[in-house]
Each structure stands twice: as C-alpha cells, then as structure tokens.
Amino acid sequence: MITVSSLNQNRSILFKLLSSNKKIVLILIFLGILVLTSLFAITCGNFNIEFSDIFSVIAANISPFTDIESVNRLHNTIIWKIRLPRIILAINVGIALSISGAVFQGCFKNPLVEPYILGISSGAAFGAALGILFPSFFLSVQALAFCFAFIAVAAAYFLAHTRGETPIIMLILAGIIIGSIFSAFVGIIKYLAQDSALREIVFWLMGGFYYANWDDVILISPIIFVSFSIIWLHSWKLNILSMGDDEAKALGVSPEKFKFLFIILATLSTAVAVSCVGIIAWVGLMMPHATRMVMGPDHRFLIPVSAIFGAIYLIICDTIARTLVNAEIPIGIITSILGAPYLFYLIRSRGASAFGG
C-alpha cells in the first residue's frame, strides 16, 4: 500500500536527483567555457593567431602521424613553446588556489579564510627572496619557496597543536604569528638586497607567469591533480567538518584526522603553485564564494566548480596582464584590482547570506 509519507519521500529523492543532474550539466557547461576561454587566450597577443593554427600546431606536436615540419615554425614557437604552457600553468595554479581556499573555508568554518592564512605566502616569499639574494649558496628559488611554504605551515600547526587537538582559533592565530615572522625576514632581505635583486624579489612577490614553460607544467600538474582528486573524493567529509567538530564525531568522522589530511593537501597544492609563479592574491578567497552563489554549499560540487572558476579567472587575468599594455603587468596586481571590488559587491548585495550567515 502506497502511503502519503512514501510518496513525499519518493518526491524528495526525485527532486534531489534532478538537482544533482542539473549541477552536473552546469559543470559540463563550465568546462566548455574553460576550453573556449583557453583557446581564445592563445589567440590574444601582439602576434595574431587563428584557431586553425592552434589545432594544427597541437596536432603536429602530439600526434605521431603529423610532421612538425608541416606547420609554420613561428606559429609553433608562439603557440607550443610560449602561450600554451603559460595557459596550462595558469589553469593549474587557478585550480590549486581555488580548491585550497574552499578546503580552508570548509575546515575552518570561516568564509573569510584564504589559502595563505597559515603563512604559506610569507614562508614562500622568504624562501624565494633567500634564493634570489644568495643564488650560489642555496637551492633554486622555486625549491626554496616550496620548502619554506611547507615549513611555515608546519610551524603554525605545531604551535597550535595542544593536548592532542588543534583548535581552529589557535591555528589561525599561529598562522598569523608565523606569517608575521617570515614577513619580517623578507623585509630584512629586501633591506640588504642590491637594486637588481630587490627588483626581482618585488616582481616575484607580485606574481606572474613570465617564465612559464613545459618543465613547470610537468612538475606541478601531477601534484595538483592528485591533491584535487583526493580532496574531491573526500569532499563529502568537508560537508560534515563544516558542521562542527561535535557533529563530525557524532557522525563517525574524525575531525582531527581529516582536517590534517585536507590542510596537508591544500598546503601542498598552494605551495607548489606559489613556488612556480609567486604570490597571487584573492583567487582562493573569491572563487569559492562565486561558486557557492551558483552551486550552493555542497563541497561535492563546490570543489570541482571552484577549480574551473579559478582556472577561467586566472586565464582571463593573465591575458589582460600580457596584452593590456606593451610591458607585462604582474598578475597579482590584476587579481587584486578585480578581486577587491568583487568582494565589496558581494558584501553589499548579498550581505550575511553570501558568507553563510
């Protein structure tokens, strides 16, 4: 016998399935927009490129049946060696910063948290500045930036960890303390640096894809892909962690264990991205908020769409940075100019609802 309650239950399940299917369609649409944005970005620049040239150059480089000599050598250099690795690197960095922002906001239950909250940016800046100032005595700038980014987060976590637990407030405060210490170290290095080294440090701090190449893409893509995959696989646990530690324990999820896992993966993604391109602000703060406005707070959909939005946003910002004027503008300036008004608009138009209130 069919009861009213069973009908209501079946209707609820149907609505959830329809809602999920709608979100999957939206994800596919956003992926299509990402592909179109990438292709359009390749055509932008001082040297005009046609869409047909893009496909012929890519086919010549990846297909064993096409001879590389069959394509224009200049087109091959511009597309394959300059613009394509730069755009793929921007996609990777956008994914890394966006999913890290979503993870930190979910773990900390704070919508104003960003990937640099635990001192990653300050630690990476100190490592990079050290490598620039003393190139003969230390590792490469990229390796030092990565190492000190991890050291900063490890120090913050160790400082906040007490009695087998890591309270969120303590972790945020520890991150602020560690970040301030490394910022002071960066200030000392900038004070000691000569003009050429100081200029290079300042440009690194503002972020940019000036030296993007296939080596960087090959280095960071597997790390970011693996981190993204694990985070997405366990994204439903982020939904539980967002409810609070007591609720997570009641549902059988260890908050300490999974917070540590998520923070490590987010730190790994952010550190490897920052070590390659410098500090790019606002992406990890903005993109999760933009995604919540479209997809809602469910991290199963929030994580992949934040990654797509971050990739699209960084491609657009990088294209503006390299085409707006003759000299390239550091992308950190572009993201800050666009990011601050967006957050102001979000506060004024959506109020507390935009931040989960």
Side-chain angles (χ1 to χ4, degrees):
M1 182 176 178
I2 300 175
T3 63
V4 174
S5 61
S6 64
L7 284 173
N8 289 334
Q9 185 178 4
N10 290 335
R11 186 181 302 171
S12 176
I13 294 171
L14 179 62
F15 284 157
K16 288 181 179 178
L17 288 173
L18 289 173
S19 178
S20 298
N21 289 336
K22 180 181 177 182
K23 289 180 179 179
I24 292 171
V25 171
L26 282 175
I27 291 174
L28 295 176
I29 291 172
F30 293 142
L31 280 173
I33 294 172
L34 173 59
V35 172
L36 292 175
T37 305
S38 302
L39 292 174
F40 176 74
I42 295 175
T43 65
C44 295
N46 294 328
F47 190 90
N48 292 326
I49 297 291
E50 301 294 333
F51 282 106
S52 57
D53 298 326
I54 299 173
F55 296 115
S56 61
V57 167
I58 293 175
N61 280 276
I62 66 174
S63 173
F65 306 107
T66 307
D67 186 7
I68 191 67
E69 298 297 330
S70 64
V71 298
N72 184 292
R73 185 173 295 178
L74 182 59
H75 288 174
N76 184 68
T77 299
I78 293 172
I79 295 172
W80 186 256
K81 295 183 179 180
I82 298 175
R83 294 185 185 175
L84 189 59
R86 181 169 182 147
I87 288 167
I88 295 177
L89 189 64
I91 290 172
N92 277 282
V93 173
I95 291 172
L97 296 179
S98 299
I99 63 171
S100 297
V103 164
F104 278 116
Q105 290 171 13
C107 286
F108 291 1
K109 303 183 290 295
N110 188 331
L112 296 178
V113 168
E114 62 172 351
Y116 304 143
I117 189 68
L118 298 184
I120 295 177
S121 58
S122 301
F126 174 70
L130 204 62
I132 292 169
L133 188 61
F134 304 107
S136 302
F137 296 97
F138 295 103
L139 301 171
S140 68
V141 171
Q142 187 171 333
L144 281 170
F146 177 81
C147 291
F148 276 96
F150 245 100
I151 289 171
V153 174
Y157 203 89
F158 177 78
L159 191 63
H161 192 76
T162 177
R163 298 176 184 174
E165 295 184 348
T166 312
I168 295 301
I169 297 298
M170 290 290 292
L171 192 56
I172 293 175
L173 289 174
I176 294 171
I177 293 168
I178 297 299
S180 298
I181 292 171
F182 276 112
S183 294
F185 290 161
V186 173
I188 293 171
I189 290 179
K190 288 165 70 176
Y191 178 77
L192 297 174
Q194 299 296 325
D195 288 346
S196 59
L198 178 60
R199 180 180 176 84
E200 191 174 348
I201 291 170
V202 170
F203 266 86
W204 191 93
L205 291 174
M206 291 190 287
F209 297 94
Y210 327 105
Y211 309 115
N213 54 56
W214 284 111
D215 289 339
D216 289 335
V217 172
I218 293 170
L219 174 67
I220 77 170
S221 295
I223 297 173
I224 292 174
F225 176 76
V226 170
S227 298
F228 168 78
S229 300
I230 297 174
I231 289 170
W232 193 14
L233 183 65
H234 295 281
S235 56
W236 63 274
K237 291 170 184 171
L238 267 175
N239 291 338
I240 296 175
L241 291 177
S242 300
M243 298 166 60
D245 290 358
D246 293 337
E247 289 80 358
K249 290 176 182 177
L251 292 170
V253 173
S254 170
E256 283 298 315
K257 174 183 174 182
F258 285 103
K259 278 181 193 174
F260 182 77
L261 172 66
F262 285 127
I263 288 173
I264 287 294
L265 292 172
T267 298
L268 180 62
S269 298
T270 304
V272 74
V274 170
S275 68
C276 282
V277 300
I279 299 170
I280 300 177
W282 291 95
V283 179
L285 177 62
M286 287 172 52
M287 292 304 107
H289 285 305
T291 305
R292 286 188 193 95
M293 294 171 65
V294 178
M295 305 298 289
D298 189 344
H299 286 85
R300 294 175 301 168
F301 300 102
L302 179 65
I303 294 297
V305 178
S306 290
I308 296 170
F309 279 10
I312 293 172
Y313 180 64
L314 268 195
I315 291 172
I316 293 171
C317 289
D318 182 55
T319 304
I320 294 172
R322 64 184 174 84
T323 60
L324 189 62
V325 294
N326 290 332
E328 183 171 337
I329 303 171
I331 194 173
I333 295 175
I334 303 295
T335 57
S336 297
I337 289 174
L338 297 179
Y342 169 78
L343 191 60
F344 178 77
Y345 158 77
L346 200 63
I347 293 171
R348 298 292 295 178
S349 63
R350 301 293 295 272
S353 63
F355 301 97

